[in-house]
């Protein structure tokens, strides 16, 4: 069985968040977008649901994590190359995101990270699978 994954993240301003990620080259599934929700495609099996905080609360029984001082999740996406990692993270920071932690360089694997407009952490990594197996 092939599974899909939907990561749900609370955001302050869906329009601003959508513009931020759209500017980074991400696409959205309009079938699941409205003024309170943006459905961002990672690939055909992975989706990020960016939900305005009041809409996000419809799905939880407790409270939303304060991302200014705590992590609720680390979302990691891949890039095609080391340069691709740098390009995406640099673009995110230039678009209003912020740097998070120092780059991680293990030779066969390279990664950097940024915080989006709502302080959610996004890790971007490249890995050489042939070198990782050695």
């Amino acid at each position: 069985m092939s599974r899909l994954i939907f990561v749900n993240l609370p955001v302050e301003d869906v329009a601003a968040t959508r513009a931020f990620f759209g500017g980074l080259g991400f696409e959205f599934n309009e079938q699941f977008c409205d003024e309170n929700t943006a459905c961002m495609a990672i690939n055909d099996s992975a989706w990020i649901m960016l939900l305005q905080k009041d809409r996000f609360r419809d799905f939880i029984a407790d409270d939303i994590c304060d991302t200014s001082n705590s992590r609720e999740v680390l979302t990691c996406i891949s890039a095609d190359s080391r340069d691709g990692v740098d390009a995406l993270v640099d673009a995110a920071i230039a678009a209003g995101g912020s740097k998070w932690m120092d780059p991680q360089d293990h030779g066969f694997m390279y990664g950097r990270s940024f915080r989006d407009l709502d302080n959610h952490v996004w890790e971007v990594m490249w890995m050489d699978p042939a070198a990782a197996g050695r």
Side-chain angles (χ1 to χ4, degrees):
M1 174 167 114
S2 177
R3 294 187 186 270
L4 303 176
I5 184 169
F6 296 87
V7 175
N8 295 270
L9 296 175
V11 302
E12 284 291 334
D13 183 334
V14 171
T17 298
R18 182 175 174 155
F20 174 81
F21 284 107
L24 299 179
F26 289 93
E27 296 181 1
F28 295 85
N29 182 338
E30 296 303 327
Q31 183 178 359
F32 301 107
C33 294
D34 61 27
E35 65 278 356
N36 296 309
T37 306
C39 179
M40 184 173 76
I42 300 299
N43 60 39
D44 290 342
S45 299
W47 305 87
I48 306 294
M49 301 299 294
L50 302 161
L51 304 166
Q52 194 279 331
K53 285 186 174 181
D54 285 342
R55 181 66 177 129
F56 186 86
R57 283 187 177 93
D58 290 340
F59 299 99
I60 62 174
D62 48 10
D63 205 0
I64 295 171
C65 177
D66 178 358
T67 56
S68 67
N69 62 32
S70 300
R71 292 302 112 227
E72 81 283 34
V73 67
L74 295 174
T75 304
C76 183
I77 57 176
S78 64
D80 292 337
S81 65
R82 293 172 65 95
D83 288 343
V85 169
D86 289 335
L88 183 55
V89 173
D90 290 344
I93 293 168
S98 60
K99 177 183 178 276
W100 191 72
M101 297 193 49
D102 291 329
Q104 302 288 314
D105 191 346
H106 302 285
F108 70 93
M109 185 170 65
Y110 173 70
R112 288 179 58 198
S113 53
F114 66 91
R115 290 182 186 194
D116 67 16
L117 302 179
D118 292 280
N119 289 314
H120 300 293
V121 172
W122 293 80
E123 295 180 318
V124 184
M125 59 79 70
W126 165 84
M127 182 175 58
D128 178 356
R134 285 186 238 145

